[in-house]
Amino acid sequence: MNPMQWTLTEAIKLGYFTTYLRNAEYHATHLFISHAESLWMLHAWYFVVLVDSMYKTNVYKKAVVQFVGVTPVKKNFNIGLALVEDETKESYAWALNQL
């Protein structure tokens, strides 16, 4: 298996929700990953969701979009993470739709 296939296989074994898009050359252009427990917490405390993005700071030169939630007692929890090809409206819309 290549590194991407191994990562997705192990993530699914550990209870993560994963989805991705590929281009014509079968390279992953978009990846979303979130743990089932984080999604349960999001359903319980959906009032505040913070979205943070970093662009071209990783080895793949992709934008990293992180989703963070806040509980009623002011504790943060990681909801999910997306790697997207670029910082276009379409890429952010895809990440938000996966959430």
mmCIF file of all heavy atoms in Angstrom, residues 31-78:
data_model
loop_
_atom_site.group_PDB
_atom_site.id
_atom_site.type_symbol
_atom_site.label_atom_id
_atom_site.label_comp_id
_atom_site.label_asym_id
_atom_site.label_seq_id
_atom_site.Cartn_x
_atom_site.Cartn_y
_atom_site.Cartn_z
ATOM 1 N N LEU A 31 -8.811 15.970 1.218
ATOM 2 C CA LEU A 31 -8.951 14.915 2.221
ATOM 3 C C LEU A 31 -9.605 15.508 3.454
ATOM 4 O O LEU A 31 -9.217 16.583 3.906
ATOM 5 C CB LEU A 31 -7.572 14.348 2.597
ATOM 6 C CG LEU A 31 -7.503 13.428 3.806
ATOM 7 C CD1 LEU A 31 -8.214 12.113 3.517
ATOM 8 C CD2 LEU A 31 -6.061 13.176 4.202
ATOM 9 N N PHE A 32 -10.606 14.808 3.985
ATOM 10 C CA PHE A 32 -11.249 15.215 5.235
ATOM 11 C C PHE A 32 -11.205 14.042 6.187
ATOM 12 O O PHE A 32 -11.460 12.899 5.797
ATOM 13 C CB PHE A 32 -12.708 15.629 5.004
ATOM 14 C CG PHE A 32 -13.412 16.035 6.272
ATOM 15 C CD1 PHE A 32 -13.262 17.314 6.773
ATOM 16 C CD2 PHE A 32 -14.197 15.135 6.968
ATOM 17 C CE1 PHE A 32 -13.888 17.691 7.950
ATOM 18 C CE2 PHE A 32 -14.831 15.501 8.136
ATOM 19 C CZ PHE A 32 -14.675 16.787 8.626
ATOM 20 N N ILE A 33 -10.870 14.315 7.444
ATOM 21 C CA ILE A 33 -10.805 13.261 8.452
ATOM 22 C C ILE A 33 -11.341 13.801 9.776
ATOM 23 O O ILE A 33 -11.054 14.930 10.160
ATOM 24 C CB ILE A 33 -9.364 12.713 8.605
ATOM 25 C CG1 ILE A 33 -9.335 11.518 9.531
ATOM 26 C CG2 ILE A 33 -8.403 13.799 9.029
ATOM 27 C CD1 ILE A 33 -8.055 10.729 9.444
ATOM 28 N N SER A 34 -12.167 12.980 10.432
ATOM 29 C CA SER A 34 -12.742 13.358 11.720
ATOM 30 C C SER A 34 -13.066 12.088 12.492
ATOM 31 O O SER A 34 -13.497 11.096 11.915
ATOM 32 C CB SER A 34 -14.010 14.181 11.508
ATOM 33 O OG SER A 34 -14.563 14.556 12.748
ATOM 34 N N HIS A 35 -12.880 12.123 13.798
ATOM 35 C CA HIS A 35 -13.196 10.970 14.626
ATOM 36 C C HIS A 35 -14.689 10.973 14.964
ATOM 37 O O HIS A 35 -15.304 12.031 15.120
ATOM 38 C CB HIS A 35 -12.367 10.990 15.915
ATOM 39 C CG HIS A 35 -12.378 9.676 16.611
ATOM 40 N ND1 HIS A 35 -13.336 9.340 17.526
ATOM 41 C CD2 HIS A 35 -11.563 8.603 16.495
ATOM 42 C CE1 HIS A 35 -13.113 8.110 17.959
ATOM 43 N NE2 HIS A 35 -12.025 7.650 17.341
ATOM 44 N N ALA A 36 -15.262 9.798 15.085
ATOM 45 C CA ALA A 36 -16.692 9.658 15.369
ATOM 46 C C ALA A 36 -17.070 10.359 16.676
ATOM 47 O O ALA A 36 -18.137 10.980 16.765
ATOM 48 C CB ALA A 36 -17.078 8.181 15.422
ATOM 49 N N GLU A 37 -16.219 10.299 17.679
ATOM 50 C CA GLU A 37 -16.512 10.960 18.952
ATOM 51 C C GLU A 37 -16.531 12.478 18.799
ATOM 52 O O GLU A 37 -17.342 13.162 19.422
ATOM 53 C CB GLU A 37 -15.483 10.550 20.008
ATOM 54 C CG GLU A 37 -15.839 11.018 21.400
ATOM 55 C CD GLU A 37 -14.912 10.442 22.457
ATOM 56 O OE1 GLU A 37 -14.533 9.267 22.345
ATOM 57 O OE2 GLU A 37 -14.578 11.197 23.385
ATOM 58 N N SER A 38 -15.665 13.004 17.953
ATOM 59 C CA SER A 38 -15.669 14.446 17.693
ATOM 60 C C SER A 38 -16.962 14.878 17.019
ATOM 61 O O SER A 38 -17.504 15.941 17.317
ATOM 62 C CB SER A 38 -14.489 14.827 16.803
ATOM 63 O OG SER A 38 -13.277 14.578 17.459
ATOM 64 N N LEU A 39 -17.459 14.048 16.114
ATOM 65 C CA LEU A 39 -18.722 14.364 15.452
ATOM 66 C C LEU A 39 -19.879 14.310 16.442
ATOM 67 O O LEU A 39 -20.805 15.128 16.372
ATOM 68 C CB LEU A 39 -18.957 13.418 14.277
ATOM 69 C CG LEU A 39 -17.943 13.547 13.142
ATOM 70 C CD1 LEU A 39 -18.197 12.494 12.079
ATOM 71 C CD2 LEU A 39 -17.965 14.936 12.557
ATOM 72 N N TRP A 40 -19.827 13.374 17.393
ATOM 73 C CA TRP A 40 -20.860 13.313 18.436
ATOM 74 C C TRP A 40 -20.824 14.594 19.272
ATOM 75 O O TRP A 40 -21.874 15.171 19.572
ATOM 76 C CB TRP A 40 -20.639 12.096 19.326
ATOM 77 C CG TRP A 40 -21.619 12.032 20.439
ATOM 78 C CD1 TRP A 40 -22.860 11.476 20.410
ATOM 79 C CD2 TRP A 40 -21.458 12.575 21.755
ATOM 80 N NE1 TRP A 40 -23.479 11.637 21.617
ATOM 81 C CE2 TRP A 40 -22.643 12.304 22.462
ATOM 82 C CE3 TRP A 40 -20.429 13.255 22.402
ATOM 83 C CZ2 TRP A 40 -22.823 12.696 23.785
ATOM 84 C CZ3 TRP A 40 -20.615 13.640 23.709
ATOM 85 C CH2 TRP A 40 -21.800 13.357 24.384
ATOM 86 N N MET A 41 -19.623 15.044 19.625
ATOM 87 C CA MET A 41 -19.488 16.281 20.396
ATOM 88 C C MET A 41 -19.994 17.483 19.601
ATOM 89 O O MET A 41 -20.622 18.380 20.158
ATOM 90 C CB MET A 41 -18.027 16.485 20.824
ATOM 91 C CG MET A 41 -17.556 15.463 21.836
ATOM 92 S SD MET A 41 -15.801 15.590 22.207
ATOM 93 C CE MET A 41 -15.783 17.074 23.196
ATOM 94 N N LEU A 42 -19.749 17.490 18.295
ATOM 95 C CA LEU A 42 -20.239 18.577 17.455
ATOM 96 C C LEU A 42 -21.771 18.622 17.459
ATOM 97 O O LEU A 42 -22.367 19.693 17.550
ATOM 98 C CB LEU A 42 -19.734 18.420 16.024
ATOM 99 C CG LEU A 42 -20.283 19.417 15.006
ATOM 100 C CD1 LEU A 42 -19.893 20.843 15.375
ATOM 101 C CD2 LEU A 42 -19.804 19.060 13.622
ATOM 102 N N HIS A 43 -22.401 17.465 17.410
ATOM 103 C CA HIS A 43 -23.866 17.432 17.455
ATOM 104 C C HIS A 43 -24.393 17.934 18.798
ATOM 105 O O HIS A 43 -25.460 18.536 18.861
ATOM 106 C CB HIS A 43 -24.389 16.020 17.172
ATOM 107 C CG HIS A 43 -24.301 15.646 15.739
ATOM 108 N ND1 HIS A 43 -25.128 16.147 14.772
ATOM 109 C CD2 HIS A 43 -23.444 14.823 15.095
ATOM 110 C CE1 HIS A 43 -24.815 15.645 13.609
ATOM 111 N NE2 HIS A 43 -23.785 14.846 13.768
ATOM 112 N N ALA A 44 -23.642 17.700 19.854
ATOM 113 C CA ALA A 44 -24.070 18.155 21.180
ATOM 114 C C ALA A 44 -23.812 19.652 21.370
ATOM 115 O O ALA A 44 -24.627 20.345 21.991
ATOM 116 C CB ALA A 44 -23.341 17.359 22.263
ATOM 117 N N TRP A 45 -22.684 20.158 20.862
ATOM 118 C CA TRP A 45 -22.306 21.559 21.070
ATOM 119 C C TRP A 45 -21.959 22.200 19.731
ATOM 120 O O TRP A 45 -20.800 22.437 19.414
ATOM 121 C CB TRP A 45 -21.115 21.651 22.016
ATOM 122 C CG TRP A 45 -21.395 21.047 23.340
ATOM 123 C CD1 TRP A 45 -22.367 21.421 24.209
ATOM 124 C CD2 TRP A 45 -20.710 19.947 23.935
ATOM 125 N NE1 TRP A 45 -22.331 20.623 25.320
ATOM 126 C CE2 TRP A 45 -21.319 19.702 25.176
ATOM 127 C CE3 TRP A 45 -19.640 19.141 23.554
ATOM 128 C CZ2 TRP A 45 -20.903 18.698 26.028
ATOM 129 C CZ3 TRP A 45 -19.229 18.148 24.399
ATOM 130 C CH2 TRP A 45 -19.852 17.945 25.614
ATOM 131 N N TYR A 46 -22.967 22.512 18.955
ATOM 132 C CA TYR A 46 -22.782 23.057 17.614
ATOM 133 C C TYR A 46 -22.849 24.580 17.568
ATOM 134 O O TYR A 46 -22.804 25.168 16.494
ATOM 135 C CB TYR A 46 -23.838 22.490 16.663
ATOM 136 C CG TYR A 46 -25.255 22.752 17.112
ATOM 137 C CD1 TYR A 46 -25.907 23.921 16.763
ATOM 138 C CD2 TYR A 46 -25.920 21.826 17.908
ATOM 139 C CE1 TYR A 46 -27.201 24.173 17.193
ATOM 140 C CE2 TYR A 46 -27.205 22.066 18.346
ATOM 141 C CZ TYR A 46 -27.850 23.232 17.978
ATOM 142 O OH TYR A 46 -29.113 23.473 18.408
ATOM 143 N N PHE A 47 -22.939 25.233 18.700
ATOM 144 C CA PHE A 47 -23.142 26.684 18.743
ATOM 145 C C PHE A 47 -21.943 27.469 18.216
ATOM 146 O O PHE A 47 -22.108 28.499 17.586
ATOM 147 C CB PHE A 47 -23.469 27.136 20.167
ATOM 148 C CG PHE A 47 -24.607 26.367 20.769
ATOM 149 C CD1 PHE A 47 -24.387 25.473 21.785
ATOM 150 C CD2 PHE A 47 -25.892 26.532 20.277
ATOM 151 C CE1 PHE A 47 -25.434 24.757 22.331
ATOM 152 C CE2 PHE A 47 -26.954 25.815 20.815
ATOM 153 C CZ PHE A 47 -26.725 24.927 21.840
ATOM 154 N N VAL A 48 -20.732 27.011 18.514
ATOM 155 C CA VAL A 48 -19.527 27.722 18.092
ATOM 156 C C VAL A 48 -18.614 26.734 17.370
ATOM 157 O O VAL A 48 -18.222 25.712 17.931
ATOM 158 C CB VAL A 48 -18.761 28.333 19.288
ATOM 159 C CG1 VAL A 48 -17.477 29.006 18.818
ATOM 160 C CG2 VAL A 48 -19.647 29.312 20.038
ATOM 161 N N VAL A 49 -18.295 27.040 16.116
ATOM 162 C CA VAL A 49 -17.330 26.258 15.345
ATOM 163 C C VAL A 49 -16.317 27.237 14.772
ATOM 164 O O VAL A 49 -16.673 28.173 14.070
ATOM 165 C CB VAL A 49 -18.007 25.463 14.211
ATOM 166 C CG1 VAL A 49 -16.959 24.767 13.353
ATOM 167 C CG2 VAL A 49 -18.987 24.455 14.766
ATOM 168 N N LEU A 50 -15.062 27.023 15.108
ATOM 169 C CA LEU A 50 -13.979 27.869 14.607
ATOM 170 C C LEU A 50 -13.319 27.169 13.424
ATOM 171 O O LEU A 50 -13.116 25.956 13.450
ATOM 172 C CB LEU A 50 -12.945 28.113 15.703
ATOM 173 C CG LEU A 50 -13.496 28.679 17.011
ATOM 174 C CD1 LEU A 50 -12.433 28.641 18.086
ATOM 175 C CD2 LEU A 50 -13.999 30.081 16.794
ATOM 176 N N VAL A 51 -12.992 27.941 12.399
ATOM 177 C CA VAL A 51 -12.329 27.406 11.215
ATOM 178 C C VAL A 51 -11.004 28.144 11.063
ATOM 179 O O VAL A 51 -10.974 29.368 11.008
ATOM 180 C CB VAL A 51 -13.197 27.599 9.956
ATOM 181 C CG1 VAL A 51 -12.491 27.038 8.743
ATOM 182 C CG2 VAL A 51 -14.563 26.955 10.146
ATOM 183 N N ASP A 52 -9.927 27.385 11.008
ATOM 184 C CA ASP A 52 -8.600 27.972 10.857
ATOM 185 C C ASP A 52 -7.939 27.318 9.654
ATOM 186 O O ASP A 52 -8.098 26.126 9.414
ATOM 187 C CB ASP A 52 -7.772 27.735 12.109
ATOM 188 C CG ASP A 52 -6.412 28.414 12.055
ATOM 189 O OD1 ASP A 52 -6.280 29.438 11.345
ATOM 190 O OD2 ASP A 52 -5.476 27.923 12.708
ATOM 191 N N SER A 53 -7.194 28.102 8.911
ATOM 192 C CA SER A 53 -6.534 27.576 7.719
ATOM 193 C C SER A 53 -5.087 28.031 7.671
ATOM 194 O O SER A 53 -4.780 29.173 7.998
ATOM 195 C CB SER A 53 -7.274 28.041 6.467
ATOM 196 O OG SER A 53 -6.605 27.566 5.322
ATOM 197 N N MET A 54 -4.224 27.118 7.256
ATOM 198 C CA MET A 54 -2.824 27.425 7.013
ATOM 199 C C MET A 54 -2.531 26.974 5.594
ATOM 200 O O MET A 54 -2.966 25.903 5.181
ATOM 201 C CB MET A 54 -1.931 26.668 7.983
ATOM 202 C CG MET A 54 -2.127 27.062 9.431
ATOM 203 S SD MET A 54 -1.340 25.897 10.529
ATOM 204 C CE MET A 54 -2.561 24.603 10.572
ATOM 205 N N TYR A 55 -1.796 27.767 4.849
ATOM 206 C CA TYR A 55 -1.562 27.449 3.448
ATOM 207 C C TYR A 55 -0.082 27.231 3.176
ATOM 208 O O TYR A 55 0.759 28.038 3.564
ATOM 209 C CB TYR A 55 -2.107 28.575 2.567
ATOM 210 C CG TYR A 55 -2.079 28.271 1.102
ATOM 211 C CD1 TYR A 55 -2.780 27.194 0.585
ATOM 212 C CD2 TYR A 55 -1.349 29.067 0.227
ATOM 213 C CE1 TYR A 55 -2.764 26.908 -0.768
ATOM 214 C CE2 TYR A 55 -1.336 28.796 -1.126
ATOM 215 C CZ TYR A 55 -2.037 27.712 -1.618
ATOM 216 O OH TYR A 55 -2.023 27.431 -2.950
ATOM 217 N N LYS A 56 0.224 26.131 2.502
ATOM 218 C CA LYS A 56 1.581 25.774 2.049
ATOM 219 C C LYS A 56 2.592 25.708 3.187
ATOM 220 O O LYS A 56 3.756 26.061 3.016
ATOM 221 C CB LYS A 56 2.055 26.739 0.962
ATOM 222 C CG LYS A 56 1.303 26.586 -0.333
ATOM 223 C CD LYS A 56 1.937 27.411 -1.425
ATOM 224 C CE LYS A 56 1.197 27.203 -2.724
ATOM 225 N NZ LYS A 56 1.790 27.931 -3.826
ATOM 226 N N THR A 57 2.169 25.243 4.350
ATOM 227 C CA THR A 57 3.117 25.092 5.450
ATOM 228 C C THR A 57 3.465 23.626 5.689
ATOM 229 O O THR A 57 4.186 23.313 6.619
ATOM 230 C CB THR A 57 2.552 25.688 6.752
ATOM 231 O OG1 THR A 57 1.329 25.029 7.061
ATOM 232 C CG2 THR A 57 2.322 27.178 6.613
ATOM 233 N N ASN A 58 2.947 22.723 4.853
ATOM 234 C CA ASN A 58 3.251 21.306 5.027
ATOM 235 C C ASN A 58 4.019 20.794 3.812
ATOM 236 O O ASN A 58 4.174 21.481 2.809
ATOM 237 C CB ASN A 58 1.957 20.506 5.267
ATOM 238 C CG ASN A 58 0.947 20.723 4.167
ATOM 239 O OD1 ASN A 58 1.231 20.485 3.011
ATOM 240 N ND2 ASN A 58 -0.240 21.188 4.530
ATOM 241 N N VAL A 59 4.476 19.577 3.892
ATOM 242 C CA VAL A 59 5.310 19.004 2.844
ATOM 243 C C VAL A 59 4.547 18.859 1.524
ATOM 244 O O VAL A 59 5.148 18.894 0.452
ATOM 245 C CB VAL A 59 5.896 17.650 3.313
ATOM 246 C CG1 VAL A 59 4.812 16.595 3.428
ATOM 247 C CG2 VAL A 59 6.998 17.184 2.384
ATOM 248 N N TYR A 60 3.222 18.759 1.585
ATOM 249 C CA TYR A 60 2.424 18.583 0.371
ATOM 250 C C TYR A 60 2.017 19.905 -0.269
ATOM 251 O O TYR A 60 1.397 19.916 -1.321
ATOM 252 C CB TYR A 60 1.176 17.757 0.681
ATOM 253 C CG TYR A 60 1.521 16.414 1.265
ATOM 254 C CD1 TYR A 60 1.291 16.152 2.603
ATOM 255 C CD2 TYR A 60 2.116 15.434 0.489
ATOM 256 C CE1 TYR A 60 1.630 14.915 3.155
ATOM 257 C CE2 TYR A 60 2.461 14.208 1.018
ATOM 258 C CZ TYR A 60 2.212 13.957 2.352
ATOM 259 O OH TYR A 60 2.550 12.753 2.889
ATOM 260 N N LYS A 61 2.333 21.036 0.356
ATOM 261 C CA LYS A 61 1.992 22.372 -0.143
ATOM 262 C C LYS A 61 0.487 22.535 -0.367
ATOM 263 O O LYS A 61 0.044 23.146 -1.326
ATOM 264 C CB LYS A 61 2.756 22.688 -1.436
ATOM 265 C CG LYS A 61 4.247 22.592 -1.316
ATOM 266 C CD LYS A 61 4.780 23.633 -0.365
ATOM 267 C CE LYS A 61 6.303 23.573 -0.340
ATOM 268 N NZ LYS A 61 6.854 24.061 0.870
ATOM 269 N N LYS A 62 -0.292 21.947 0.532
ATOM 270 C CA LYS A 62 -1.749 22.052 0.474
ATOM 271 C C LYS A 62 -2.232 22.893 1.652
ATOM 272 O O LYS A 62 -1.547 23.037 2.649
ATOM 273 C CB LYS A 62 -2.382 20.670 0.536
ATOM 274 C CG LYS A 62 -1.935 19.747 -0.579
ATOM 275 C CD LYS A 62 -3.038 18.860 -0.999
ATOM 276 C CE LYS A 62 -2.601 17.843 -2.004
ATOM 277 N NZ LYS A 62 -2.375 18.328 -3.316
ATOM 278 N N ALA A 63 -3.420 23.438 1.509
ATOM 279 C CA ALA A 63 -4.017 24.193 2.608
ATOM 280 C C ALA A 63 -4.561 23.213 3.644
ATOM 281 O O ALA A 63 -5.202 22.219 3.304
ATOM 282 C CB ALA A 63 -5.141 25.076 2.087
ATOM 283 N N VAL A 64 -4.288 23.483 4.905
ATOM 284 C CA VAL A 64 -4.802 22.684 6.012
ATOM 285 C C VAL A 64 -5.915 23.486 6.669
ATOM 286 O O VAL A 64 -5.696 24.614 7.103
ATOM 287 C CB VAL A 64 -3.696 22.370 7.048
ATOM 288 C CG1 VAL A 64 -4.268 21.594 8.223
ATOM 289 C CG2 VAL A 64 -2.550 21.622 6.399
ATOM 290 N N VAL A 65 -7.112 22.908 6.715
ATOM 291 C CA VAL A 65 -8.264 23.568 7.316
ATOM 292 C C VAL A 65 -8.644 22.770 8.558
ATOM 293 O O VAL A 65 -8.943 21.582 8.467
ATOM 294 C CB VAL A 65 -9.458 23.633 6.340
ATOM 295 C CG1 VAL A 65 -10.613 24.389 6.962
ATOM 296 C CG2 VAL A 65 -9.039 24.266 5.028
ATOM 297 N N GLN A 66 -8.597 23.414 9.712
ATOM 298 C CA GLN A 66 -8.929 22.745 10.966
ATOM 299 C C GLN A 66 -10.237 23.306 11.509
ATOM 300 O O GLN A 66 -10.454 24.517 11.502
ATOM 301 C CB GLN A 66 -7.825 22.943 11.997
ATOM 302 C CG GLN A 66 -8.093 22.189 13.281
ATOM 303 C CD GLN A 66 -6.931 22.280 14.243
ATOM 304 O OE1 GLN A 66 -5.979 23.013 14.028
ATOM 305 N NE2 GLN A 66 -7.017 21.534 15.307
ATOM 306 N N PHE A 67 -11.092 22.396 11.983
ATOM 307 C CA PHE A 67 -12.368 22.764 12.590
ATOM 308 C C PHE A 67 -12.299 22.469 14.080
ATOM 309 O O PHE A 67 -11.952 21.358 14.481
ATOM 310 C CB PHE A 67 -13.513 21.964 11.964
ATOM 311 C CG PHE A 67 -13.643 22.171 10.485
ATOM 312 C CD1 PHE A 67 -13.107 21.264 9.588
ATOM 313 C CD2 PHE A 67 -14.289 23.288 9.985
ATOM 314 C CE1 PHE A 67 -13.222 21.453 8.225
ATOM 315 C CE2 PHE A 67 -14.404 23.487 8.620
ATOM 316 C CZ PHE A 67 -13.869 22.561 7.736
ATOM 317 N N VAL A 68 -12.614 23.479 14.886
ATOM 318 C CA VAL A 68 -12.546 23.353 16.342
ATOM 319 C C VAL A 68 -13.888 23.775 16.925
ATOM 320 O O VAL A 68 -14.457 24.788 16.515
ATOM 321 C CB VAL A 68 -11.411 24.225 16.928
ATOM 322 C CG1 VAL A 68 -11.381 24.165 18.440
ATOM 323 C CG2 VAL A 68 -10.075 23.821 16.336
ATOM 324 N N GLY A 69 -14.378 23.008 17.893
ATOM 325 C CA GLY A 69 -15.610 23.352 18.578
ATOM 326 C C GLY A 69 -15.321 23.810 19.996
ATOM 327 O O GLY A 69 -14.216 23.617 20.518
ATOM 328 N N VAL A 70 -16.324 24.429 20.615
ATOM 329 C CA VAL A 70 -16.201 24.929 21.987
ATOM 330 C C VAL A 70 -17.378 24.392 22.791
ATOM 331 O O VAL A 70 -18.527 24.499 22.372
ATOM 332 C CB VAL A 70 -16.187 26.475 22.021
ATOM 333 C CG1 VAL A 70 -16.048 26.984 23.448
ATOM 334 C CG2 VAL A 70 -15.084 27.020 21.145
ATOM 335 N N THR A 71 -17.089 23.829 23.967
ATOM 336 C CA THR A 71 -18.135 23.301 24.841
ATOM 337 C C THR A 71 -18.709 24.423 25.702
ATOM 338 O O THR A 71 -18.119 25.508 25.783
ATOM 339 C CB THR A 71 -17.584 22.197 25.760
ATOM 340 O OG1 THR A 71 -16.679 22.788 26.687
ATOM 341 C CG2 THR A 71 -16.890 21.096 24.983
ATOM 342 N N PRO A 72 -19.829 24.178 26.388
ATOM 343 C CA PRO A 72 -20.401 25.209 27.260
ATOM 344 C C PRO A 72 -19.500 25.619 28.423
ATOM 345 O O PRO A 72 -19.674 26.689 28.992
ATOM 346 C CB PRO A 72 -21.685 24.565 27.780
ATOM 347 C CG PRO A 72 -22.034 23.540 26.772
ATOM 348 C CD PRO A 72 -20.733 23.040 26.240
ATOM 349 N N VAL A 73 -18.532 24.777 28.772
ATOM 350 C CA VAL A 73 -17.618 25.121 29.864
ATOM 351 C C VAL A 73 -16.284 25.656 29.325
ATOM 352 O O VAL A 73 -15.255 25.577 29.983
ATOM 353 C CB VAL A 73 -17.397 23.918 30.814
ATOM 354 C CG1 VAL A 73 -18.665 23.587 31.567
ATOM 355 C CG2 VAL A 73 -16.878 22.714 30.052
ATOM 356 N N LYS A 74 -16.330 26.178 28.098
ATOM 357 C CA LYS A 74 -15.202 26.850 27.454
ATOM 358 C C LYS A 74 -13.985 25.948 27.229
ATOM 359 O O LYS A 74 -12.837 26.380 27.342
ATOM 360 C CB LYS A 74 -14.808 28.105 28.225
ATOM 361 C CG LYS A 74 -15.924 29.125 28.286
ATOM 362 C CD LYS A 74 -15.510 30.354 29.038
ATOM 363 C CE LYS A 74 -16.703 31.310 29.130
ATOM 364 N NZ LYS A 74 -16.421 32.457 29.931
ATOM 365 N N LYS A 75 -14.235 24.702 26.905
ATOM 366 C CA LYS A 75 -13.173 23.767 26.525
ATOM 367 C C LYS A 75 -13.234 23.561 25.018
ATOM 368 O O LYS A 75 -14.310 23.430 24.445
ATOM 369 C CB LYS A 75 -13.345 22.418 27.234
ATOM 370 C CG LYS A 75 -13.259 22.496 28.731
ATOM 371 C CD LYS A 75 -11.856 22.755 29.173
ATOM 372 C CE LYS A 75 -11.785 22.767 30.687
ATOM 373 N NZ LYS A 75 -10.488 23.127 31.164
ATOM 374 N N ASN A 76 -12.091 23.536 24.380
ATOM 375 C CA ASN A 76 -12.032 23.312 22.939
ATOM 376 C C ASN A 76 -11.905 21.829 22.627
ATOM 377 O O ASN A 76 -11.315 21.072 23.404
ATOM 378 C CB ASN A 76 -10.831 24.037 22.335
ATOM 379 C CG ASN A 76 -10.919 25.524 22.493
ATOM 380 O OD1 ASN A 76 -11.984 26.085 22.700
ATOM 381 N ND2 ASN A 76 -9.780 26.182 22.387
ATOM 382 N N PHE A 77 -12.434 21.430 21.477
ATOM 383 C CA PHE A 77 -12.231 20.069 20.995
ATOM 384 C C PHE A 77 -12.049 20.103 19.485
ATOM 385 O O PHE A 77 -12.619 20.935 18.785
ATOM 386 C CB PHE A 77 -13.378 19.140 21.409
ATOM 387 C CG PHE A 77 -14.716 19.518 20.830
ATOM 388 C CD1 PHE A 77 -15.177 18.910 19.670
ATOM 389 C CD2 PHE A 77 -15.522 20.453 21.462
ATOM 390 C CE1 PHE A 77 -16.412 19.255 19.144
ATOM 391 C CE2 PHE A 77 -16.758 20.789 20.945
ATOM 392 C CZ PHE A 77 -17.211 20.195 19.775
ATOM 393 N N ASN A 78 -11.200 19.223 18.997
ATOM 394 C CA ASN A 78 -10.930 19.146 17.571
ATOM 395 C C ASN A 78 -12.079 18.402 16.893
ATOM 396 O O ASN A 78 -12.409 17.292 17.273
ATOM 397 C CB ASN A 78 -9.615 18.417 17.323
ATOM 398 C CG ASN A 78 -9.242 18.410 15.863
ATOM 399 O OD1 ASN A 78 -9.529 19.355 15.142
ATOM 400 N ND2 ASN A 78 -8.611 17.340 15.437
#
